[in-house]
Amino acid sequence: MRFRLTDDQRALKSATRELLDRLRPPKALRADASGGAPRLDRVMWAALAEAGVFALRLPEDAGGVGLGAPEAVLVFEELGRALAPGPLVATHLAAGRVPGAATGETVVTRADGGLVAWLDEADVVDGGPAGPAESPAPGPGGRTAPGAGGLSGGPWGGPASGPGAQGAVPLRSVDPLTPLHRVPGPAADGPWDPAAALLTAAEQLGTAGRVTELAVRYAREREQFGRPVGSFQAVKHLCAGMLVRTELARAAVYAAAVTGDPAETAGAKLLADEAAVANARDCVQIHGGMGFTWEADVHLHLKRAWVRARSRPTADEAAETAALALAESAGESTGPPVPNQAL
């Protein structure tokens, strides 16, 4: 399988990064983080919609861009790298089903893992455990599979309404740029959405890559005992480990976007969560005392990575799904269905 990007894909990735550099400079991030309750930047939202972020996979005759899951993953990797705020995944997946989602006029959020992000700023709450479900068709081994291109509306793809957030109560979010509400009921009720998992993994990949860049740059600039700290073996090992985790996660996320396999998506989410969180922690360590201040953007990346890691599949769910798939591929019996089995 080849993961080398085409010229068009590289251009898409580059244009998205340039757009986000203009819309979300580091100064804006820190200002939002220290400005009290976060508010969704509707100007940024409209700019993202105009660039085609939400209509990326809609057919051209439906007003969309007509691209596929691999291109969506590249765009969401850049959104994660820039720490773009808002319910980006939910609105993207609602395009074509919820009027105004594709054009950015309607902000859509969804309940996921017992949490709802940006509830007060959203216009629509999509699906949810109490909403109408549209389960994907069973695939080999009884697993459910996402639709063509690896991204579908998923089992949460019912008409938009608000049942998924009934009784939601506000939480104090660890991420100052992601307001959260908790919904009543079990956090892991029913199958998780492979489409949302893949795009969230792409955002985690963006964070993993960005904090690696920040760590390497700081290690080159910061000097101790007359030498850059990056010349010390301990720091070199930390940076090398960050790069390995990032590239491993990148291969898994890109592969899942191409194959659309739910088990591979679970593995990609698991690796991307690990890369984002572990890399951000190592980046804080490389920054030393500086890493514990708000002057370092890595704080925001670490906290966003924690929040994304809570979205389904969680680490346990993803590991269980990947293990079942491996057992099936080896011809082993997986026994009776596991309660709350993800796929």
Side-chain angles (χ1 to χ4, degrees), residues 6-59:
T6 66
D7 291 342
D8 288 343
Q9 288 173 331
R10 282 196 293 272
L12 174 66
K13 195 173 168 65
S14 175
T16 304
R17 182 172 299 190
E18 290 174 6
L19 173 66
L20 290 168
D21 285 345
R22 292 197 305 272
L23 295 175
R24 304 298 301 168
K27 286 184 179 179
L29 275 180
R30 285 192 284 272
D32 289 348
S34 59
R39 301 297 303 269
L40 188 64
D41 184 347
R42 295 276 179 161
V43 174
M44 178 207 73
W45 204 258
L48 293 177
E50 186 176 3
V53 169
F54 305 122
L56 191 72
R57 292 179 304 109
L58 281 183

mmCIF file of all heavy atoms in Angstrom, residues 6-59:
data_model
loop_
_atom_site.group_PDB
_atom_site.id
_atom_site.type_symbol
_atom_site.label_atom_id
_atom_site.label_comp_id
_atom_site.label_asym_id
_atom_site.label_seq_id
_atom_site.Cartn_x
_atom_site.Cartn_y
_atom_site.Cartn_z
ATOM 1 N N THR A 6 -0.438 12.420 -3.379
ATOM 2 C CA THR A 6 -0.427 12.942 -4.730
ATOM 3 C C THR A 6 -0.185 14.449 -4.687
ATOM 4 O O THR A 6 -0.257 15.085 -3.622
ATOM 5 C CB THR A 6 -1.767 12.666 -5.431
ATOM 6 O OG1 THR A 6 -2.796 13.420 -4.749
ATOM 7 C CG2 THR A 6 -2.123 11.177 -5.382
ATOM 8 N N ASP A 7 0.079 15.028 -5.856
ATOM 9 C CA ASP A 7 0.283 16.478 -5.909
ATOM 10 C C ASP A 7 -0.950 17.220 -5.403
ATOM 11 O O ASP A 7 -0.842 18.228 -4.688
ATOM 12 C CB ASP A 7 0.612 16.904 -7.346
ATOM 13 C CG ASP A 7 1.991 16.417 -7.785
ATOM 14 O OD1 ASP A 7 2.804 16.067 -6.903
ATOM 15 O OD2 ASP A 7 2.239 16.387 -9.001
ATOM 16 N N ASP A 8 -2.131 16.743 -5.792
ATOM 17 C CA ASP A 8 -3.365 17.404 -5.356
ATOM 18 C C ASP A 8 -3.538 17.287 -3.837
ATOM 19 O O ASP A 8 -3.991 18.248 -3.182
ATOM 20 C CB ASP A 8 -4.570 16.775 -6.056
ATOM 21 C CG ASP A 8 -4.640 17.157 -7.523
ATOM 22 O OD1 ASP A 8 -3.965 18.139 -7.913
ATOM 23 O OD2 ASP A 8 -5.358 16.478 -8.280
ATOM 24 N N GLN A 9 -3.189 16.134 -3.282
ATOM 25 C CA GLN A 9 -3.328 15.973 -1.826
ATOM 26 C C GLN A 9 -2.342 16.863 -1.074
ATOM 27 O O GLN A 9 -2.687 17.444 -0.043
ATOM 28 C CB GLN A 9 -3.134 14.499 -1.450
ATOM 29 C CG GLN A 9 -4.305 13.611 -1.872
ATOM 30 C CD GLN A 9 -4.039 12.139 -1.658
ATOM 31 O OE1 GLN A 9 -2.886 11.695 -1.707
ATOM 32 N NE2 GLN A 9 -5.089 11.371 -1.419
ATOM 33 N N ARG A 10 -1.124 16.959 -1.583
ATOM 34 C CA ARG A 10 -0.156 17.862 -0.941
ATOM 35 C C ARG A 10 -0.627 19.310 -1.023
ATOM 36 O O ARG A 10 -0.473 20.089 -0.078
ATOM 37 C CB ARG A 10 1.217 17.705 -1.594
ATOM 38 C CG ARG A 10 1.973 16.452 -1.142
ATOM 39 C CD ARG A 10 3.450 16.565 -1.510
ATOM 40 N NE ARG A 10 3.639 16.534 -2.953
ATOM 41 C CZ ARG A 10 3.794 15.433 -3.656
ATOM 42 N NH1 ARG A 10 3.802 14.265 -3.045
ATOM 43 N NH2 ARG A 10 3.949 15.479 -4.968
ATOM 44 N N ALA A 11 -1.214 19.670 -2.158
ATOM 45 C CA ALA A 11 -1.717 21.043 -2.304
ATOM 46 C C ALA A 11 -2.876 21.301 -1.342
ATOM 47 O O ALA A 11 -2.976 22.387 -0.752
ATOM 48 C CB ALA A 11 -2.155 21.267 -3.757
ATOM 49 N N LEU A 12 -3.744 20.313 -1.176
ATOM 50 C CA LEU A 12 -4.867 20.456 -0.241
ATOM 51 C C LEU A 12 -4.358 20.641 1.184
ATOM 52 O O LEU A 12 -4.820 21.520 1.922
ATOM 53 C CB LEU A 12 -5.765 19.214 -0.326
ATOM 54 C CG LEU A 12 -6.906 19.136 0.690
ATOM 55 C CD1 LEU A 12 -7.928 20.242 0.454
ATOM 56 C CD2 LEU A 12 -7.593 17.758 0.624
ATOM 57 N N LYS A 13 -3.389 19.835 1.557
ATOM 58 C CA LYS A 13 -2.823 19.915 2.912
ATOM 59 C C LYS A 13 -2.127 21.268 3.131
ATOM 60 O O LYS A 13 -2.310 21.898 4.176
ATOM 61 C CB LYS A 13 -1.827 18.761 3.067
ATOM 62 C CG LYS A 13 -1.388 18.447 4.472
ATOM 63 C CD LYS A 13 -0.548 17.166 4.450
ATOM 64 C CE LYS A 13 0.167 16.938 5.766
ATOM 65 N NZ LYS A 13 -0.736 16.689 6.868
ATOM 66 N N SER A 14 -1.381 21.699 2.141
ATOM 67 C CA SER A 14 -0.666 22.975 2.257
ATOM 68 C C SER A 14 -1.639 24.150 2.325
ATOM 69 O O SER A 14 -1.459 25.072 3.142
ATOM 70 C CB SER A 14 0.280 23.130 1.061
ATOM 71 O OG SER A 14 0.899 24.390 1.080
ATOM 72 N N ALA A 15 -2.669 24.126 1.488
ATOM 73 C CA ALA A 15 -3.635 25.234 1.493
ATOM 74 C C ALA A 15 -4.400 25.281 2.805
ATOM 75 O O ALA A 15 -4.687 26.365 3.329
ATOM 76 C CB ALA A 15 -4.600 25.063 0.321
ATOM 77 N N THR A 16 -4.727 24.123 3.355
ATOM 78 C CA THR A 16 -5.435 24.100 4.648
ATOM 79 C C THR A 16 -4.546 24.670 5.749
ATOM 80 O O THR A 16 -5.011 25.445 6.602
ATOM 81 C CB THR A 16 -5.842 22.664 4.997
ATOM 82 O OG1 THR A 16 -6.622 22.112 3.940
ATOM 83 C CG2 THR A 16 -6.650 22.624 6.279
ATOM 84 N N ARG A 17 -3.260 24.315 5.738
ATOM 85 C CA ARG A 17 -2.352 24.849 6.760
ATOM 86 C C ARG A 17 -2.222 26.360 6.643
ATOM 87 O O ARG A 17 -2.234 27.080 7.653
ATOM 88 C CB ARG A 17 -0.974 24.185 6.646
ATOM 89 C CG ARG A 17 0.006 24.656 7.711
ATOM 90 C CD ARG A 17 1.290 23.853 7.702
ATOM 91 N NE ARG A 17 1.057 22.445 7.978
ATOM 92 C CZ ARG A 17 2.028 21.570 8.219
ATOM 93 N NH1 ARG A 17 3.293 21.969 8.194
ATOM 94 N NH2 ARG A 17 1.752 20.303 8.459
ATOM 95 N N GLU A 18 -2.106 26.864 5.416
ATOM 96 C CA GLU A 18 -1.989 28.315 5.237
ATOM 97 C C GLU A 18 -3.250 29.029 5.717
ATOM 98 O O GLU A 18 -3.178 30.090 6.350
ATOM 99 C CB GLU A 18 -1.731 28.623 3.761
ATOM 100 C CG GLU A 18 -0.355 28.194 3.274
ATOM 101 C CD GLU A 18 -0.188 28.383 1.778
ATOM 102 O OE1 GLU A 18 -1.105 28.953 1.150
ATOM 103 O OE2 GLU A 18 0.851 27.961 1.231
ATOM 104 N N LEU A 19 -4.400 28.449 5.417
ATOM 105 C CA LEU A 19 -5.661 29.058 5.860
ATOM 106 C C LEU A 19 -5.722 29.112 7.387
ATOM 107 O O LEU A 19 -6.077 30.147 7.976
ATOM 108 C CB LEU A 19 -6.841 28.244 5.313
ATOM 109 C CG LEU A 19 -8.224 28.645 5.831
ATOM 110 C CD1 LEU A 19 -8.590 30.047 5.363
ATOM 111 C CD2 LEU A 19 -9.289 27.637 5.387
ATOM 112 N N LEU A 20 -5.360 28.004 8.032
ATOM 113 C CA LEU A 20 -5.437 27.951 9.489
ATOM 114 C C LEU A 20 -4.391 28.851 10.140
ATOM 115 O O LEU A 20 -4.629 29.400 11.216
ATOM 116 C CB LEU A 20 -5.273 26.506 9.954
ATOM 117 C CG LEU A 20 -6.469 25.601 9.600
ATOM 118 C CD1 LEU A 20 -6.115 24.137 9.813
ATOM 119 C CD2 LEU A 20 -7.686 25.974 10.435
ATOM 120 N N ASP A 21 -3.237 29.017 9.506
ATOM 121 C CA ASP A 21 -2.227 29.948 10.037
ATOM 122 C C ASP A 21 -2.783 31.371 10.071
ATOM 123 O O ASP A 21 -2.463 32.156 10.972
ATOM 124 C CB ASP A 21 -0.959 29.898 9.183
ATOM 125 C CG ASP A 21 -0.138 28.647 9.438
ATOM 126 O OD1 ASP A 21 -0.384 27.972 10.455
ATOM 127 O OD2 ASP A 21 0.734 28.331 8.615
ATOM 128 N N ARG A 22 -3.600 31.694 9.077
ATOM 129 C CA ARG A 22 -4.200 33.039 9.056
ATOM 130 C C ARG A 22 -5.338 33.145 10.065
ATOM 131 O O ARG A 22 -5.487 34.153 10.744
ATOM 132 C CB ARG A 22 -4.737 33.366 7.657
ATOM 133 C CG ARG A 22 -3.681 33.537 6.600
ATOM 134 C CD ARG A 22 -4.242 34.264 5.384
ATOM 135 N NE ARG A 22 -5.412 33.624 4.823
ATOM 136 C CZ ARG A 22 -5.372 32.664 3.908
ATOM 137 N NH1 ARG A 22 -4.201 32.244 3.451
ATOM 138 N NH2 ARG A 22 -6.470 32.134 3.434
ATOM 139 N N LEU A 23 -6.146 32.072 10.168
ATOM 140 C CA LEU A 23 -7.330 32.132 11.017
ATOM 141 C C LEU A 23 -7.015 31.931 12.490
ATOM 142 O O LEU A 23 -7.680 32.500 13.360
ATOM 143 C CB LEU A 23 -8.341 31.065 10.585
ATOM 144 C CG LEU A 23 -8.963 31.210 9.199
ATOM 145 C CD1 LEU A 23 -9.835 29.995 8.891
ATOM 146 C CD2 LEU A 23 -9.808 32.484 9.133
ATOM 147 N N ARG A 24 -6.026 31.064 12.781
ATOM 148 C CA ARG A 24 -5.752 30.691 14.159
ATOM 149 C C ARG A 24 -4.273 30.852 14.504
ATOM 150 O O ARG A 24 -3.570 29.874 14.776
ATOM 151 C CB ARG A 24 -6.157 29.224 14.405
ATOM 152 C CG ARG A 24 -7.587 28.903 14.082
ATOM 153 C CD ARG A 24 -8.550 29.680 14.942
ATOM 154 N NE ARG A 24 -8.343 29.418 16.366
ATOM 155 C CZ ARG A 24 -8.902 30.137 17.323
ATOM 156 N NH1 ARG A 24 -9.658 31.167 17.035
ATOM 157 N NH2 ARG A 24 -8.676 29.837 18.582
ATOM 158 N N PRO A 25 -3.757 32.096 14.517
ATOM 159 C CA PRO A 25 -2.360 32.295 14.930
ATOM 160 C C PRO A 25 -2.209 31.967 16.419
ATOM 161 O O PRO A 25 -3.185 31.992 17.167
ATOM 162 C CB PRO A 25 -2.125 33.776 14.652
ATOM 163 C CG PRO A 25 -3.472 34.394 14.715
ATOM 164 C CD PRO A 25 -4.430 33.361 14.200
ATOM 165 N N PRO A 26 -0.961 31.669 16.862
ATOM 166 C CA PRO A 26 -0.754 31.323 18.279
ATOM 167 C C PRO A 26 -1.281 32.363 19.248
ATOM 168 O O PRO A 26 -1.779 32.028 20.325
ATOM 169 C CB PRO A 26 0.768 31.187 18.358
ATOM 170 C CG PRO A 26 1.192 30.800 16.981
ATOM 171 C CD PRO A 26 0.256 31.527 16.066
ATOM 172 N N LYS A 27 -1.184 33.652 18.878
ATOM 173 C CA LYS A 27 -1.687 34.690 19.781
ATOM 174 C C LYS A 27 -3.188 34.537 20.026
ATOM 175 O O LYS A 27 -3.679 34.754 21.136
ATOM 176 C CB LYS A 27 -1.400 36.075 19.194
ATOM 177 C CG LYS A 27 0.063 36.490 19.282
ATOM 178 C CD LYS A 27 0.234 37.901 18.761
ATOM 179 C CE LYS A 27 1.704 38.343 18.867
ATOM 180 N NZ LYS A 27 1.905 39.701 18.334
ATOM 181 N N ALA A 28 -3.923 34.163 18.978
ATOM 182 C CA ALA A 28 -5.361 33.979 19.130
ATOM 183 C C ALA A 28 -5.659 32.807 20.049
ATOM 184 O O ALA A 28 -6.602 32.847 20.852
ATOM 185 C CB ALA A 28 -5.998 33.754 17.761
ATOM 186 N N LEU A 29 -4.865 31.750 19.946
ATOM 187 C CA LEU A 29 -5.062 30.583 20.811
ATOM 188 C C LEU A 29 -4.928 30.974 22.270
ATOM 189 O O LEU A 29 -5.779 30.650 23.108
ATOM 190 C CB LEU A 29 -4.022 29.513 20.479
ATOM 191 C CG LEU A 29 -4.321 28.551 19.336
ATOM 192 C CD1 LEU A 29 -3.153 27.587 19.179
ATOM 193 C CD2 LEU A 29 -5.606 27.791 19.609
ATOM 194 N N ARG A 30 -3.830 31.670 22.593
ATOM 195 C CA ARG A 30 -3.589 32.016 23.993
ATOM 196 C C ARG A 30 -4.620 33.024 24.494
ATOM 197 O O ARG A 30 -5.034 32.985 25.647
ATOM 198 C CB ARG A 30 -2.175 32.552 24.152
ATOM 199 C CG ARG A 30 -1.111 31.447 24.091
ATOM 200 C CD ARG A 30 0.228 31.964 24.546
ATOM 201 N NE ARG A 30 0.843 32.796 23.519
ATOM 202 C CZ ARG A 30 1.613 32.329 22.543
ATOM 203 N NH1 ARG A 30 1.849 31.039 22.458
ATOM 204 N NH2 ARG A 30 2.133 33.134 21.647
ATOM 205 N N ALA A 31 -5.055 33.920 23.621
ATOM 206 C CA ALA A 31 -6.068 34.894 24.031
ATOM 207 C C ALA A 31 -7.383 34.191 24.343
ATOM 208 O O ALA A 31 -8.056 34.500 25.328
ATOM 209 C CB ALA A 31 -6.277 35.930 22.927
ATOM 210 N N ASP A 32 -7.758 33.220 23.506
ATOM 211 C CA ASP A 32 -8.987 32.474 23.752
ATOM 212 C C ASP A 32 -8.889 31.676 25.041
ATOM 213 O O ASP A 32 -9.860 31.541 25.790
ATOM 214 C CB ASP A 32 -9.263 31.528 22.584
ATOM 215 C CG ASP A 32 -9.677 32.282 21.324
ATOM 216 O OD1 ASP A 32 -9.956 33.494 21.437
ATOM 217 O OD2 ASP A 32 -9.711 31.665 20.241
ATOM 218 N N ALA A 33 -7.696 31.106 25.308
ATOM 219 C CA ALA A 33 -7.527 30.261 26.488
ATOM 220 C C ALA A 33 -7.617 31.051 27.781
ATOM 221 O O ALA A 33 -7.995 30.503 28.820
ATOM 222 C CB ALA A 33 -6.184 29.536 26.416
ATOM 223 N N SER A 34 -7.280 32.324 27.720
ATOM 224 C CA SER A 34 -7.303 33.139 28.942
ATOM 225 C C SER A 34 -8.483 34.090 28.979
ATOM 226 O O SER A 34 -8.567 34.943 29.857
ATOM 227 C CB SER A 34 -6.010 33.964 29.042
ATOM 228 O OG SER A 34 -5.873 34.808 27.907
ATOM 229 N N GLY A 35 -9.410 33.906 28.062
ATOM 230 C CA GLY A 35 -10.515 34.855 27.954
ATOM 231 C C GLY A 35 -11.806 34.407 28.583
ATOM 232 O O GLY A 35 -12.870 34.903 28.218
ATOM 233 N N GLY A 36 -11.772 33.472 29.530
ATOM 234 C CA GLY A 36 -12.995 32.999 30.161
ATOM 235 C C GLY A 36 -13.675 31.946 29.324
ATOM 236 O O GLY A 36 -13.027 31.172 28.610
ATOM 237 N N ALA A 37 -15.017 31.893 29.413
ATOM 238 C CA ALA A 37 -15.777 30.864 28.701
ATOM 239 C C ALA A 37 -15.544 30.993 27.195
ATOM 240 O O ALA A 37 -15.720 32.078 26.628
ATOM 241 C CB ALA A 37 -17.256 31.003 29.010
ATOM 242 N N PRO A 38 -15.137 29.915 26.534
ATOM 243 C CA PRO A 38 -14.853 30.011 25.093
ATOM 244 C C PRO A 38 -16.126 30.218 24.282
ATOM 245 O O PRO A 38 -17.177 29.668 24.602
ATOM 246 C CB PRO A 38 -14.199 28.668 24.783
ATOM 247 C CG PRO A 38 -14.685 27.737 25.830
ATOM 248 C CD PRO A 38 -14.882 28.572 27.061
ATOM 249 N N ARG A 39 -16.022 31.013 23.251
ATOM 250 C CA ARG A 39 -17.117 31.241 22.309
ATOM 251 C C ARG A 39 -16.655 30.804 20.927
ATOM 252 O O ARG A 39 -15.504 31.028 20.550
ATOM 253 C CB ARG A 39 -17.526 32.715 22.286
ATOM 254 C CG ARG A 39 -17.986 33.269 23.619
ATOM 255 C CD ARG A 39 -19.231 32.563 24.119
ATOM 256 N NE ARG A 39 -20.319 32.657 23.154
ATOM 257 C CZ ARG A 39 -21.227 33.651 23.155
ATOM 258 N NH1 ARG A 39 -21.151 34.602 24.053
ATOM 259 N NH2 ARG A 39 -22.198 33.666 22.261
ATOM 260 N N LEU A 40 -17.559 30.199 20.214
ATOM 261 C CA LEU A 40 -17.211 29.731 18.881
ATOM 262 C C LEU A 40 -17.036 30.915 17.943
ATOM 263 O O LEU A 40 -17.895 31.795 17.879
ATOM 264 C CB LEU A 40 -18.298 28.794 18.352
ATOM 265 C CG LEU A 40 -17.970 28.078 17.039
ATOM 266 C CD1 LEU A 40 -16.785 27.148 17.219
ATOM 267 C CD2 LEU A 40 -19.176 27.314 16.526
ATOM 268 N N ASP A 41 -15.921 30.932 17.238
ATOM 269 C CA ASP A 41 -15.621 32.004 16.295
ATOM 270 C C ASP A 41 -16.380 31.717 14.990
ATOM 271 O O ASP A 41 -15.949 30.926 14.164
ATOM 272 C CB ASP A 41 -14.112 32.056 16.053
ATOM 273 C CG ASP A 41 -13.710 33.215 15.150
ATOM 274 O OD1 ASP A 41 -14.604 33.825 14.528
ATOM 275 O OD2 ASP A 41 -12.503 33.494 15.060
ATOM 276 N N ARG A 42 -17.508 32.392 14.822
ATOM 277 C CA ARG A 42 -18.347 32.137 13.640
ATOM 278 C C ARG A 42 -17.668 32.638 12.356
ATOM 279 O O ARG A 42 -17.954 32.127 11.275
ATOM 280 C CB ARG A 42 -19.708 32.816 13.802
ATOM 281 C CG ARG A 42 -20.542 32.255 14.954
ATOM 282 C CD ARG A 42 -21.312 31.021 14.517
ATOM 283 N NE ARG A 42 -22.095 30.464 15.621
ATOM 284 C CZ ARG A 42 -23.113 29.631 15.440
ATOM 285 N NH1 ARG A 42 -23.492 29.279 14.215
ATOM 286 N NH2 ARG A 42 -23.759 29.135 16.473
ATOM 287 N N VAL A 43 -16.814 33.630 12.484
ATOM 288 C CA VAL A 43 -16.085 34.096 11.299
ATOM 289 C C VAL A 43 -15.142 32.989 10.819
ATOM 290 O O VAL A 43 -15.067 32.679 9.622
ATOM 291 C CB VAL A 43 -15.316 35.386 11.611
ATOM 292 C CG1 VAL A 43 -14.433 35.788 10.436
ATOM 293 C CG2 VAL A 43 -16.281 36.507 11.983
ATOM 294 N N MET A 44 -14.416 32.383 11.780
ATOM 295 C CA MET A 44 -13.550 31.267 11.419
ATOM 296 C C MET A 44 -14.372 30.111 10.852
ATOM 297 O O MET A 44 -13.986 29.480 9.868
ATOM 298 C CB MET A 44 -12.789 30.788 12.662
ATOM 299 C CG MET A 44 -11.888 29.590 12.405
ATOM 300 S SD MET A 44 -11.628 28.563 13.874
ATOM 301 C CE MET A 44 -13.235 27.761 14.028
ATOM 302 N N TRP A 45 -15.520 29.854 11.465
ATOM 303 C CA TRP A 45 -16.368 28.752 11.018
ATOM 304 C C TRP A 45 -16.805 28.960 9.567
ATOM 305 O O TRP A 45 -16.788 28.033 8.755
ATOM 306 C CB TRP A 45 -17.590 28.645 11.933
ATOM 307 C CG TRP A 45 -18.215 27.290 11.974
ATOM 308 C CD1 TRP A 45 -19.352 26.878 11.335
ATOM 309 C CD2 TRP A 45 -17.739 26.152 12.703
ATOM 310 N NE1 TRP A 45 -19.606 25.567 11.620
ATOM 311 C CE2 TRP A 45 -18.631 25.099 12.451
ATOM 312 C CE3 TRP A 45 -16.650 25.919 13.526
ATOM 313 C CZ2 TRP A 45 -18.459 23.822 13.007
ATOM 314 C CZ3 TRP A 45 -16.478 24.670 14.076
ATOM 315 C CH2 TRP A 45 -17.373 23.641 13.815
ATOM 316 N N ALA A 46 -17.208 30.185 9.262
ATOM 317 C CA ALA A 46 -17.646 30.491 7.898
ATOM 318 C C ALA A 46 -16.485 30.360 6.911
ATOM 319 O O ALA A 46 -16.664 29.892 5.773
ATOM 320 C CB ALA A 46 -18.226 31.909 7.858
ATOM 321 N N ALA A 47 -15.292 30.756 7.350
ATOM 322 C CA ALA A 47 -14.121 30.638 6.469
ATOM 323 C C ALA A 47 -13.786 29.172 6.194
ATOM 324 O O ALA A 47 -13.425 28.807 5.069
ATOM 325 C CB ALA A 47 -12.933 31.358 7.102
ATOM 326 N N LEU A 48 -13.901 28.344 7.223
ATOM 327 C CA LEU A 48 -13.656 26.916 7.018
ATOM 328 C C LEU A 48 -14.692 26.319 6.063
ATOM 329 O O LEU A 48 -14.366 25.500 5.192
ATOM 330 C CB LEU A 48 -13.701 26.168 8.358
ATOM 331 C CG LEU A 48 -12.579 26.482 9.355
ATOM 332 C CD1 LEU A 48 -12.807 25.721 10.665
ATOM 333 C CD2 LEU A 48 -11.218 26.114 8.772
ATOM 334 N N ALA A 49 -15.949 26.741 6.229
ATOM 335 C CA ALA A 49 -16.994 26.241 5.337
ATOM 336 C C ALA A 49 -16.747 26.696 3.903
ATOM 337 O O ALA A 49 -16.913 25.919 2.950
ATOM 338 C CB ALA A 49 -18.353 26.733 5.827
ATOM 339 N N GLU A 50 -16.346 27.940 3.753
ATOM 340 C CA GLU A 50 -16.088 28.466 2.411
ATOM 341 C C GLU A 50 -14.924 27.720 1.751
ATOM 342 O O GLU A 50 -14.911 27.521 0.532
ATOM 343 C CB GLU A 50 -15.757 29.956 2.485
ATOM 344 C CG GLU A 50 -15.610 30.606 1.113
ATOM 345 C CD GLU A 50 -15.383 32.110 1.221
ATOM 346 O OE1 GLU A 50 -15.288 32.612 2.360
ATOM 347 O OE2 GLU A 50 -15.304 32.764 0.166
ATOM 348 N N ALA A 51 -13.974 27.278 2.568
ATOM 349 C CA ALA A 51 -12.842 26.508 2.032
ATOM 350 C C ALA A 51 -13.229 25.068 1.715
ATOM 351 O O ALA A 51 -12.411 24.318 1.159
ATOM 352 C CB ALA A 51 -11.687 26.528 3.028
ATOM 353 N N GLY A 52 -14.442 24.664 2.112
ATOM 354 C CA GLY A 52 -14.915 23.326 1.770
ATOM 355 C C GLY A 52 -14.655 22.269 2.814
ATOM 356 O O GLY A 52 -14.806 21.070 2.537
ATOM 357 N N VAL A 53 -14.291 22.673 4.036
ATOM 358 C CA VAL A 53 -13.965 21.689 5.079
ATOM 359 C C VAL A 53 -15.165 20.796 5.382
ATOM 360 O O VAL A 53 -15.020 19.575 5.527
ATOM 361 C CB VAL A 53 -13.482 22.405 6.358
ATOM 362 C CG1 VAL A 53 -13.407 21.433 7.530
ATOM 363 C CG2 VAL A 53 -12.127 23.048 6.113
ATOM 364 N N PHE A 54 -16.356 21.375 5.478
ATOM 365 C CA PHE A 54 -17.510 20.579 5.871
ATOM 366 C C PHE A 54 -18.156 19.866 4.683
ATOM 367 O O PHE A 54 -18.815 18.847 4.859
ATOM 368 C CB PHE A 54 -18.535 21.468 6.587
ATOM 369 C CG PHE A 54 -17.962 22.196 7.760
ATOM 370 C CD1 PHE A 54 -17.988 23.584 7.838
ATOM 371 C CD2 PHE A 54 -17.340 21.499 8.782
ATOM 372 C CE1 PHE A 54 -17.435 24.254 8.905
ATOM 373 C CE2 PHE A 54 -16.776 22.154 9.867
ATOM 374 C CZ PHE A 54 -16.824 23.541 9.924
ATOM 375 N N ALA A 55 -18.003 20.401 3.486
ATOM 376 C CA ALA A 55 -18.606 19.791 2.297
ATOM 377 C C ALA A 55 -17.588 18.989 1.495
ATOM 378 O O ALA A 55 -17.820 18.673 0.333
ATOM 379 C CB ALA A 55 -19.212 20.885 1.415
ATOM 380 N N LEU A 56 -16.493 18.640 2.137
ATOM 381 C CA LEU A 56 -15.383 18.027 1.411
ATOM 382 C C LEU A 56 -15.780 16.743 0.696
ATOM 383 O O LEU A 56 -15.333 16.464 -0.413
ATOM 384 C CB LEU A 56 -14.248 17.742 2.400
ATOM 385 C CG LEU A 56 -12.909 17.341 1.794
ATOM 386 C CD1 LEU A 56 -12.262 18.549 1.133
ATOM 387 C CD2 LEU A 56 -11.981 16.790 2.867
ATOM 388 N N ARG A 57 -16.632 15.929 1.346
ATOM 389 C CA ARG A 57 -16.963 14.623 0.765
ATOM 390 C C ARG A 57 -18.340 14.602 0.109
ATOM 391 O O ARG A 57 -18.766 13.561 -0.368
ATOM 392 C CB ARG A 57 -16.882 13.541 1.845
ATOM 393 C CG ARG A 57 -15.454 13.290 2.351
ATOM 394 C CD ARG A 57 -15.451 12.226 3.432
ATOM 395 N NE ARG A 57 -16.332 12.584 4.513
ATOM 396 C CZ ARG A 57 -17.478 11.985 4.777
ATOM 397 N NH1 ARG A 57 -17.894 10.985 4.041
ATOM 398 N NH2 ARG A 57 -18.232 12.383 5.793
ATOM 399 N N LEU A 58 -19.024 15.715 0.104
ATOM 400 C CA LEU A 58 -20.304 15.748 -0.610
ATOM 401 C C LEU A 58 -20.053 15.718 -2.110
ATOM 402 O O LEU A 58 -19.079 16.303 -2.597
ATOM 403 C CB LEU A 58 -21.066 17.025 -0.260
ATOM 404 C CG LEU A 58 -21.820 17.074 1.062
ATOM 405 C CD1 LEU A 58 -22.567 18.398 1.164
ATOM 406 C CD2 LEU A 58 -22.772 15.908 1.197
ATOM 407 N N PRO A 59 -20.912 15.037 -2.883
ATOM 408 C CA PRO A 59 -20.748 15.044 -4.334
ATOM 409 C C PRO A 59 -20.831 16.466 -4.889
ATOM 410 O O PRO A 59 -21.500 17.330 -4.327
ATOM 411 C CB PRO A 59 -21.923 14.186 -4.819
ATOM 412 C CG PRO A 59 -22.342 13.388 -3.637
ATOM 413 C CD PRO A 59 -22.032 14.218 -2.422
#
